[in-house]
Amino acid sequence: MLEIKNVSKSYGRHTALSNLNLNIPDGALFGLVGPNGAGKTTAMKIISGIIFPDNGDIIFNNINLCREKKATKEIVGYVPDVLGIYDDMTVFEYMLFFAATYGLTGYVARKKADILLEQVGMTDKKNFYLNELSRGMQQKLCVARALIHNPELIIMDEPASGLDPRARYELKELLQELNAAGKTVILSSHILSEVSEICTDIGIIEGGKMIISGAVEDILAKVEGANPIKIKVLNNESLALEILKKNKKVRILSVDNSYFMVYFDGKKLDEAKLLGELVKNNILVSEFIREPGSLESYFIKVTNHSNESVIFSNEY
Ligand SMILES: Nc1ncnc2c1ncn2[C@@H]1O[C@H](COP(=O)(O)OP(=O)(O)OP(=O)(O)O)[C@@H](O)[C@H]1O
Ligand SMILES: [Mg+2]
């Protein structure tokens, strides 16, 4: 488990992270999502031991990543958002250079470099100079480089940016492979739909604060739950209203153009039961539709302060 405990970080007078708390289960593929300036890069650099927080600690399986420098270097593989590339090196030399910083040399280093370049689809670029690589190729190389020491915790800052659709697909496969091999992976992105497709867990960060985090399916359920069920009945509206009011999972009820708009906390099964109850009471239900919600619209709702109360209040 990776525990981020009360982490704060300011740059001068500007607060980038403010009491950030988050638990990431072992073996999670975690997506950190937030708008520009939310604090994603800052959080990832702190987890990777590159910069230090003003307050707080980060514990990964009993190791304090903010304090134990040597252990952190071994545990973490970090792919930065801005790639530091040296012009006068070939791709293969670059891999060997990074291998050496982790004490890997000779045959072991060459073999490992070959395997990783193959994994990211860069074998045919092995002898290219780094300044001859496109941005997407550099990105792939940085992913390969970050894995050279077989880290347990892999942190990638916007790894998909600059990649074409095929490379994105390959990155997704690689991330899922690493995850299946038991690695904990944290990646950041602005694109929620992409993250929800790949990740097991997500956290939405804004203004240096974690707004919501959890398993993707729970977050998706909240997205759905944030939208009303539209119900149209053809008879006995007063009985329908009574049944809806009595249902404990109904949070708010309104009427819009002869539709009942029902904000409902239940799951799919609860929805089906509610429909069943209406029908059992001889109410003719002609429409019963949960308005679909996208993660994007939810993201906008939860990162838009004017709507925050709507999402988080249980009373409405
Ligand atoms: N070196 C720095 N000096 C001063 N302020 C900084 C520095 N790095 C980041 N910040 C500020 O801290 C806040 C968080 O920045 P950060 O780079 O962590 O955001 P981000 O979520 O990664 O954004 P993006 O999506 O644009 O990459 C921003 O307001 C930014 O201006
Ligand atoms: Mg960033």
Side-chain angles (χ1 to χ4, degrees), residues 121-153:
M122 289 282 290
T123 301
D124 58 339
K125 305 289 181 302
K126 191 173 157 177
N127 296 314
F128 274 49
Y129 280 96
L130 300 185
N131 59 358
E132 295 170 331
L133 300 178
S134 72
R135 157 133 180 94
M137 291 169 195
Q138 291 180 4
Q139 187 73 14
K140 289 189 209 177
L141 177 60
C142 278
V143 172
R145 175 199 96 183
L147 302 176
I148 197 87
H149 58 298
N150 198 20
E152 278 174 69
L153 178 60

Side-chain angles (χ1 to χ4, degrees), residues 53-72:
D54 301 333
N55 284 304
D57 281 303
I58 299 184
I59 314 289
F60 181 68
N61 296 340
N62 296 322
I63 292 165
N64 191 324
L65 301 183
C66 301
R67 295 174 207 279
E68 297 170 56
K69 245 187 145 171
K70 191 164 178 289
T72 304

Side-chain angles (χ1 to χ4, degrees), residues 40-41 81 157-158 188:
K40 303 181 295 296
T41 298
D81 55 343
D157 199 354
E158 306 203 27
S188 68

